[in-house]
């Protein structure tokens, strides 16, 4: 059993002031895998003080110096790539194929930040004035357990590019992943205090960071409920906030799309990271007259998405991260049945032979109304709702009929038609005729999917404050 009893403050691994221990449970077996000693408010305050002190000099670094740090970070993380992948699989049951993909996204965060920084000018001429873009200050980063290291790398890379210092509160459920990535960052040799990380509970360490007057900005990824709480905590000190929150992403398949490709791709979008993804395409919108065809395709291809041990190369759906999350997904499947939706595949209970872990049967509902709770609420598990439409206009209306607006998907026979529909979807990102990620394009949500954007120039400028220098000569 592994015990993690250190946090990282001011360039050193230190013992937290907090004494509470948190159990790390392997979701594949529900066996105890380790424990982590959690930090408290005092640890958060010490970390913030270290970041504030480091900001005085780090904020004055040049582009060339920051690019060098980003390259060193990329190299240090790359060296332990396999260990980091294995930690994802072991600790929260992320499938091997997802863990490998997530690792590539993590590494691309550093290279894309370098690319953005190389092209960015921190002094702009506007009217008769020089506008200087200055680093905002200490950034509090609060992240969830799903793809934990991807969030660490992405948010840290942007903060470094901007000249900011950080205090990170990861999920207590990701302590093993956190330990490894912290060791990588330590090896990269950032100046003391630039990077600090405090394991702890959200309502303890997270709240301390959100309320602290020396934190200038909060960058948060997680649920909409928690995001609203953080926003309320941050407003008293007028912190800048970037909130990447929940989603209920629509996937519109237009009538001229190649359904033999679009439907399997829709299952991939829905079941990515075992459905534990804010961008999962969990509402599949199809033409009403193609329902039977779609049902047959899904029944034919669903064996290509086996649920099982996440260590297996072929596994597409692993366990839910915890018993609590398993029960949440079960309750939503039960709710869908009670609401009158029909189950095409999957259903209640665990797959045969996987009773020890938090495994859910990948489930597809049809005869779903967009007013049903399974179509409106984020389930965070491998549950897909098929919703039919009569016209393209109705499809767009259904897609936008949600409190969320993080990501969407559109498939059509031509890119032009898909682009036309995509331009009318209220979402921060729309993937067109494929699944992909652009680390330099902005990412974030409309409506209750968040505030602000990450990645590229938009993400960089969210860490900068413009100062106008207006000369009278």
């Amino acid at each position: 059993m592994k015990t993690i009893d250190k946090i990282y403050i001011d360039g050193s691994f230190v013992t937290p002031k907090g004494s509470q221990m948190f159990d790390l449970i392997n979701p594949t077996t529900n066996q105890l895998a380790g424990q982590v000693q959690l930090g408290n408010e005092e640890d958060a305050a010490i970390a913030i003080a270290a970041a504030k002190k480091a900001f005085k000099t780090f904020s004055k670094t040049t582009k060339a110096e920051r690019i060098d740090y980003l390259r060193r970070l990329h190299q240090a993380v790359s060296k332990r790539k396999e260990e980091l992948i294995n930690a994802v699989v072991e600790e929260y049951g992320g499938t091997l194929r997802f863990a490998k993909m997530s690792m590539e996204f993590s590494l691309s965060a550093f290279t894309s930040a370098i690319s953005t920084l190389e092209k960015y000018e921190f002094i702009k001429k506007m009217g008769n004035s020089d506008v200087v873009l200055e680093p905002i200050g200490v950034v509090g980063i609060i992240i969830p357990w799903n793809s934990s290291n991807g969030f660490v790398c992405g948010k840290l890379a942007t903060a470094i590019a901007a000249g900011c210092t950080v205090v990170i509160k990861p999920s207590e459920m990701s302590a093993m992943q956190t330990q490894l990535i912290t060791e990588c960052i330590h090896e990269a040799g950032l100046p003391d205090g630039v990077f600090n990380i405090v394991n702890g509970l959200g309502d303890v360490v997270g709240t301390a960071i959100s309320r602290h007057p020396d934190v200038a900005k909060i960058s948060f990824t997680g649920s909409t409920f928690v995001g609203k709480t953080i926003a309320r905590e941050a407003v008293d000190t007028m912190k800048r906030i970037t909130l990447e929150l929940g989603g209920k992403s629509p996937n519109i398949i237009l009538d001229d799309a190649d359904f033999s490709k679009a439907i399997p791709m829709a299952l991939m979008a829905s079941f990515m990271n075992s459905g534990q993804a804010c961008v999962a395409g969990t509402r599949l919108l199809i033409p009403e007259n193609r329902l039977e065809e779609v049902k047959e395709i899904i029944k034919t291809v669903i064996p290509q998405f086996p649920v099982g041990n996440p260590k297996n190369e072929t596994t597409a759906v692993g366990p839910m991260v915890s018993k609590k999350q398993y029960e949440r997904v079960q309750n939503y499947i039960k709710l869908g049945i009670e609401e009158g939706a029909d189950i095409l595949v999957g259903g209640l209970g665990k797959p045969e032979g996987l009773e020890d872990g938090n495994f859910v049967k990948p489930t597809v509902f049809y005869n779903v109304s967009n007013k049903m709770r399974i179509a409106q609420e984020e389930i965070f598990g491998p549950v897909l709702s098929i919703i039919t439409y009569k016209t393209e206009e109705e499809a767009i209306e259904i897609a936008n009929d949600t409190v969320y607006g993080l990501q969407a998907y559109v498939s059509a026979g031509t890119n032009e038609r898909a682009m036309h529909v995509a331009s009318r979807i209220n979402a921060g990102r729309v993937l067109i005729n494929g699944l992909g990620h652009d680390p330099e394009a902005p990412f974030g949500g409309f409506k209750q999917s968040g505030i602000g954007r990450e990645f590229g120039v938009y993400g960089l400028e969210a860490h900068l404050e413009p100062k106008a220098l207006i000369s009278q000569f």
Side-chain angles (χ1 to χ4, degrees), residues 11-30:
S12 299
F13 288 92
V14 298
T15 302
K17 305 293 184 183
S19 58
Q20 182 179 352
M21 301 300 290
F22 181 85
D23 289 342
L24 302 171
I25 307 296
N26 183 319
T28 303
T29 63
N30 272 315

Side-chain angles (χ1 to χ4, degrees), residues 105-152:
F105 287 172
S106 299
L107 291 171
S108 73
F110 300 115
T111 54
S112 63
I114 290 169
S115 177
T116 299
L117 191 52
E118 286 175 334
K119 295 175 283 190
Y120 193 78
E121 296 298 330
F122 285 84
I123 301 177
K124 304 176 188 293
K125 195 73 176 178
M126 296 184 180
N128 297 319
S129 304
D130 288 329
V131 178
V132 180
L133 282 300
E134 297 186 345
I136 198 167
V138 176
V139 179
I141 295 173
I142 303 173
I143 55 174
W145 47 264
N146 63 325
S147 194
S148 173
N149 287 341
F151 295 124
V152 170

Side-chain angles (χ1 to χ4, degrees), residues 247-248 275 282 320 325 328-330 332-333 365 373-375 377-385:
K248 195 68 181 177
T282 52
M320 301 296 94
Q325 186 61 25
R328 173 185 170 87
V329 177
Q330 292 298 301
Y332 270 107
I333 294 173
F365 282 103
R373 286 179 60 189
I374 58 169
E377 299 176 14
E378 188 175 42
I379 298 172
F380 231 60
V383 180
L384 174 64
S385 294

